Amino acid sequence: MQRTTPPFRADVVGSFLRPAAIKEARKQFQAGEIDAAQLRAVEDTEIRRVVDLQREAGLQVVTDGEFRRAWWHFDFFEGLEGVEGYDAVQGIQFNGVQTKARSIKVVSKLGFGSHPMLEDFRFLKSISGSAVPKMTIPSPSVMHFRGGRNAISKEVYPDLKDYFDDLAQVYREAIKAFYDAGCRYLQLDDTVWAYLCSEDQKKQIRERGDSPEELARTYAEVLNKAIAGKPDDLVIGLHVCRGNFRSTWISEGGYEPVAEILFGGVNIDAFFLEYDNERSGGFEPLRFIKKGHQQAVLGLITTKSGELELAKTVEARLAEAAEYLDINQICLSPQCGFASTEEGNSLTEAQQWEKLKLVVDIAARVW
């Protein structure tokens, strides 16, 4: 059964490799050789191109490739009221490589305000044609997890309960603002749930004085508060990511440790789940996804290398997943974005598009 509303049988996580024109324009902007308007003009041109390429690949959904961002999360967070970005002592450690040293802190009361990404979405919508434009933003749990208590002003938020209440309210305002701008497909990107599946990450969480189990309950509650009362025609997805930076990763482990509270308790419309290799575990946790409209978008096509998967292998894995969840509650996508940060993963633009076309071809056969 094909789908006429999101998520689609062939879907996409969001980010694409930054073209050379974008990289060069950013360098010129940072050097003071062009101004913000000139940079935006280059971005507009390249976003038009990437939207056209997504439609040519056969996708019913399009994103702006996150071409205006350096990071999948910090750019959004720094646009919120009460949040300040800064150059950290060190970057985030991935498997064998470290990101640039950037982080955020909460310095005053949180608010959504007139966020600059609203205009970014309006532009995407204006050029999306017959495709559905999807907006991607980081999940609220990401805002808290990395820095924890130390990144939140104790003067502003002496009680973290007030912080989490405000965080949920900020996301309610964000959801309404994007909806009012015409967004009907919103994706929340979340690395934290995958960390809560990793024994190594859970050890680090306990060492800093937090309880992984308590964090899971708190994050589930914040998510449900944020999306409570959303319009019926707005589809909200949650992408559970194990880390994606220059083709490396952070966490490993199947979804079983969080499956019941995440799949069974968070009222999201679609879960985008990474299943590109053995680090992801088996499909058994899918049994907790609620029967009915809720969808699992399985990321069976890796974005971390250019090697093209065999269609028959992917189709066999979809059949295996269908042992735990009705095939009509399953969709297909790449495992993650192709460039969660501006550096991008280790594959070519041509390989990127080959992978997307493979997703579309397989979905057309299976459904």
Side-chain angles (χ1 to χ4, degrees), residues 30 37 44 87 99 117 148 153 162 191 213 239 267-268 308:
Q30 287 161 2
D44 286 353
D87 292 329
T99 68
M117 286 190 184
S153 167
D162 295 332
T191 52
E213 295 75 22
H239 170 223
N267 302 318
I268 216 81
L308 199 62

Side-chain angles (χ1 to χ4, degrees), residues 55-131:
R55 294 176 64 190
E56 287 171 19
L59 290 168
Q60 296 168 270
V61 55
V62 293
T63 76
D64 65 2
E66 301 180 4
F67 280 1
R68 301 192 201 276
R69 307 184 207 180
W71 306 81
W72 64 277
H73 52 348
F74 291 145
D75 297 69
F76 176 81
F77 290 144
E78 290 183 37
L80 297 174
E81 294 175 350
V83 178
E84 188 176 281
Y86 68 97
D87 292 329
V89 175
Q90 66 179 41
I92 299 167
Q93 185 63 49
F94 279 69
N95 185 39
V97 66
Q98 196 173 99
T99 68
K100 288 182 290 191
R102 189 70 180 170
S103 195
I104 56 165
K105 56 188 174 182
V106 175
V107 296
S108 59
K109 292 283 282 185
L110 294 175
F112 183 68
S114 54
H115 200 286
M117 286 190 184
L118 289 170
E119 189 54 41
D120 297 345
F121 175 78
R122 290 188 188 100
F123 177 78
L124 173 64
K125 186 174 187 302
S126 75
I127 62 170
S128 58
S130 59

Side-chain angles (χ1 to χ4, degrees), residues 233-272:
D233 61 340
L234 171 63
V235 173
I236 300 183
L238 183 74
H239 170 223
V240 182
C241 176
R242 289 181 171 81
N244 187 46
F245 174 67
R246 292 171 59 186
S247 292
T248 61
W249 47 273
I250 291 180
S251 59
E252 55 187 323
Y255 297 105
E256 195 68 33
V258 300
E260 190 165 7
I261 187 169
L262 177 60
F263 301 152
V266 175
N267 302 318
I268 216 81
D269 295 307
F271 293 101
F272 281 73

